[in-house]
Amino acid sequence: MRDLGVGFQYLVQGQKWVARHGRQYGFGLIPGLITLVLYLAALTALAVWGPDFVAWCTPFADDWSSPWSGLFRGLLTAVLFALALLLSVVTFTAMTLLIGQPFYENLSEKVDRDVSPDGTAPESGLPFWRELWISARDSLRVVVRAALWGVLLFGLGFVPFVGQTVVPVIGFFVTGFFLTEELTAVALQRRRVEVRDRLRLLRSRRMLVWGFGTPLALAFLVPFVAVFLMPGAVAGATLMARDLLGEETTGGDDNDDHDGDNDGRSGGGPGGGHAPRPRPADPWTKPQVR
């Protein structure tokens, strides 16, 4: 349970970092604004035509007496829109990261340099076009996984009561997990960690992931909030990626938020109290550093 709080602290630390680096924050807003316009148009279309889609999917309810048919379809429409919002959170992040690849890559590198004991940041050594292709490919894989979960949860939404109460809650945790995967990918791709290894790494510390991603998923449902939180979310995910890989972290330029340790332990978590975690046994490629 402690990891839940630690994950949330990383989210807060990321927002504090971009608050201290205004230029990085300003550039990080541009991709989110572009993506927001596209997604608002899509959600508006769903709000207009969603009831017709639900009616088409439930012909068996045509002969139900009033008001049961309307109530049933109304609940399903609400579940459909809620799941669309959750799925949009995951795809919004993927699309924004893809559009803003140069901005967020640069931001993540600066965070690494700021908190690294030797002031260096891992780099993939790949050309930009190759990194962009890998990012798009991996994002598509994650979005497909998230979409499959969305279809499953939508199907469970037909179950009376459970579909309107338990399913949306599960949906937020699922969305928080995939949202965290997308955000940590910025830092982990530079370390040449493949998408399957990233997912395995995140599953090994689900509480940490949910502590970071689930509050962010809830916040992203508020209009325009996603745009303003994205730069800080990338920064916080970079700090969390260092913890996941057991990399030593110093206080950077915010010693109040990251206390260094003098007893040989890593300051991997917020406040510096985490001992280094061994890297997973997967044969990941060792990154270069500048």
Side-chain angles (χ1 to χ4, degrees):
M1 293 296 293
R2 179 179 180 275
D3 266 356
L4 278 174
V6 175
F8 182 73
Q9 287 181 54
Y10 279 125
L11 181 59
V12 174
Q13 296 290 349
Q15 302 303 324
K16 289 183 177 181
W17 192 93
V18 295
R20 300 193 306 270
H21 300 79
R23 186 175 182 182
Q24 294 294 318
Y25 179 69
F27 282 127
L29 293 177
I30 297 174
L33 290 171
I34 296 173
T35 311
L36 178 65
V37 173
L38 299 175
Y39 275 68
L40 284 178
L43 289 173
T44 300
L46 180 62
V48 173
W49 288 293
D52 294 335
F53 175 75
V54 170
W56 177 79
C57 290
T58 57
F60 56 85
D62 289 342
D63 299 328
W64 289 9
S65 60
S66 179
W68 303 115
S69 176
L71 289 174
F72 177 70
R73 285 173 170 168
L75 287 173
L76 288 183
T77 301
V79 170
L80 174 64
F81 194 77
L83 293 177
L85 284 174
L86 293 176
L87 185 59
S88 70
V89 170
V90 176
T91 57
F92 179 93
T93 304
M95 184 64 68
T96 303
L97 291 174
L98 186 62
I99 294 174
Q101 174 78 10
F103 301 103
Y104 296 131
E105 190 77 20
N106 182 262
L107 187 154
S108 180
E109 287 185 11
K110 287 185 180 298
V111 173
D112 268 323
R113 292 195 190 95
D114 189 38
V115 300
S116 175
D118 56 4
T120 61
E123 60 179 23
S124 66
L126 299 174
F128 171 74
W129 68 267
R130 179 65 177 168
E131 289 184 345
L132 190 62
W133 162 250
I134 293 175
S135 177
R137 180 199 64 191
D138 291 350
S139 294
L140 180 60
R141 291 175 177 174
V142 173
V143 168
V144 168
R145 286 184 172 92
L148 292 175
W149 271 96
V151 170
L152 174 62
L153 293 173
F154 176 71
L156 292 175
F158 286 84
V159 180
F161 182 73
V162 173
Q164 292 77 49
T165 54
V166 178
V167 170
V169 174
I170 295 175
F172 279 115
F173 281 96
V174 172
T175 302
F177 180 90
F178 286 112
L179 180 60
T180 303
E181 196 287 330
E182 288 287 348
L183 291 166
T184 53
V186 178
L188 294 177
Q189 282 175 1
R190 283 191 290 107
R191 292 158 168 84
R192 305 291 289 273
V193 182
E194 297 294 334
V195 62
R196 290 182 180 178
D197 297 321
R198 294 202 302 267
L199 290 170
R200 188 182 303 117
L201 185 63
L202 294 174
R203 291 190 193 106
S204 70
R205 296 186 67 186
R206 285 188 176 91
M207 301 299 284
L208 179 71
V209 171
W210 287 335
F212 181 90
T214 304
L216 193 61
L218 290 168
F220 275 19
L221 294 180
V222 181
F224 307 107
V225 167
V227 175
F228 296 102
L229 293 184
M230 270 297 292
V234 172
T238 301
L239 295 173
M240 190 169 72
R242 297 181 64 90
D243 183 9
L244 289 168
L245 294 175
E247 296 179 359
E248 186 178 0
T249 298
T250 65
D253 59 2
D254 186 8
N255 292 326
D256 292 331
D257 293 329
H258 299 277
D259 298 327
D261 267 9
N262 295 320
D263 58 359
R265 294 182 300 170
S266 167
H274 288 358
R277 295 181 180 272
R279 292 180 180 270
D282 302 286
W284 298 339
T285 305
K286 184 178 180 181
Q288 301 173 358
V289 294
R290 307 190 213 230

